[in-house]
Amino acid sequence: MKLDVYDIKGKKLDKQADLPAKIFEAPINVDLMHQAYTRQMANARAGTHKTKYRSEVSGGGRKPWRQKGTGRARQGSTRAAQWVGGGRVHTPLPRDYSQKMNKKMRRAALRSALSAKAAEQEIVVVDSLAMDEVKTRLLQESLGKLAGEGSALLVLGQKDEAYAGVYKAARNLDGAKTLLANYLNVRDLLSYDKLILPLDALETIKAYLG
């Protein structure tokens, strides 16, 4: 697959980028992408929720009233679950929500997501995202020409001055996110309308998924 290459201002250049069929025209496996997405969301959960059981709540050591003769129900402690301030029952405890997925499946899910983007013509290749002047307004104008009115995922090849400039300019923009190519993931690919892909980031993706 070949795509036209644009500059950061949205002007079409006199060259094309070659997108390998193995990565950008792979079979689209929806179930695999869903599994990768679910795994990523699960792994992001802290799992630190916690409530106190009856044995962990302070107080309640004395029997509230005698067992018989009061006409009231039998009670052994004011920290039982039915009392206000008592311990909780069947409530969350700290746990690990992480899910496993082998490398072969994760990469296949990424190829599926990239192929889905390519099939929907939602990939825009640019020669570079380096900005002459780091300003949010200028980047917003560029994204308006490259991505239209939709949201955009800006993928860069490495953490350099270009990445720092784009990250700084994009962090206050709604519907835009900056990401390194080696951190590419299914959730971000499916969450944004357009994938803005510089040539150096494309080479990184080829080396990782090729």
Side-chain angles (χ1 to χ4, degrees):
M1 177 185 294
K2 291 186 179 296
L3 291 181
D4 294 324
V5 179
Y6 297 82
D7 64 10
I8 194 173
K9 296 181 179 179
K11 180 182 177 181
K12 185 189 293 186
L13 304 178
D14 189 21
K15 59 181 176 180
Q16 289 187 319
D18 183 24
L19 275 60
K22 181 180 178 182
I23 301 174
F24 295 92
E25 295 180 66
I28 299 175
N29 190 328
V30 177
D31 291 337
L32 192 61
M33 287 191 292
H34 177 265
Q35 183 179 346
Y37 183 92
T38 304
R39 169 187 172 272
Q40 188 173 351
M41 296 300 291
N43 290 357
R45 298 185 66 175
T48 54
H49 38 45
K50 174 72 169 71
T51 58
K52 289 185 178 181
Y53 281 3
R54 173 174 173 170
S55 62
E56 298 171 314
V57 180
S58 62
R62 182 175 64 87
K63 188 174 176 66
W65 50 76
R66 59 194 176 94
Q67 183 82 346
K68 296 178 179 291
T70 65
R72 290 179 289 185
R74 296 173 291 188
Q75 300 292 334
S77 170
T78 57
R79 291 300 175 258
Q82 70 270 21
W83 286 74
V84 175
R88 302 295 93 190
V89 187
H90 306 310
T91 50
L93 290 174
R95 57 165 288 192
D96 180 14
Y97 283 95
S98 63
Q99 300 177 12
K100 292 183 178 180
M101 190 175 184
N102 64 52
K103 185 186 296 184
K104 184 177 180 180
M105 294 175 67
R106 294 199 306 268
R107 293 185 178 183
L110 273 178
R111 293 190 193 98
S112 290
L114 288 169
S115 298
K117 282 288 184 189
E120 295 294 329
Q121 298 181 347
E122 295 178 347
I123 297 178
V124 180
V125 180
V126 296
D127 62 338
S128 173
L129 283 175
M131 303 177 66
D132 296 331
E133 191 176 5
V134 179
K135 287 188 175 294
T136 300
R137 175 180 55 83
L138 298 178
L139 183 60
Q140 188 174 27
E141 292 174 359
S142 297
L143 292 180
K145 296 175 181 177
L146 293 170
E149 297 181 356
S151 57
L153 178 64
L154 310 171
V155 179
L156 287 96
Q158 56 185 343
K159 189 174 284 189
D160 51 14
E161 291 184 7
Y163 173 84
V166 174
Y167 176 81
K168 185 176 181 180
R171 62 185 175 182
N172 286 330
L173 285 178
D174 290 333
K177 180 176 180 177
T178 306
L179 189 70
L180 286 172
N182 54 355
Y183 292 150
L184 198 62
N185 59 85
V186 171
R187 183 182 69 175
D188 285 330
L189 284 173
L190 299 180
S191 299
Y192 292 86
D193 298 322
K194 294 286 186 179
L195 174 63
I196 311 298
L197 204 58
L199 293 175
D200 62 337
L202 179 58
E203 293 302 319
T204 302
I205 293 173
K206 287 180 182 180
Y208 179 64
L209 297 176

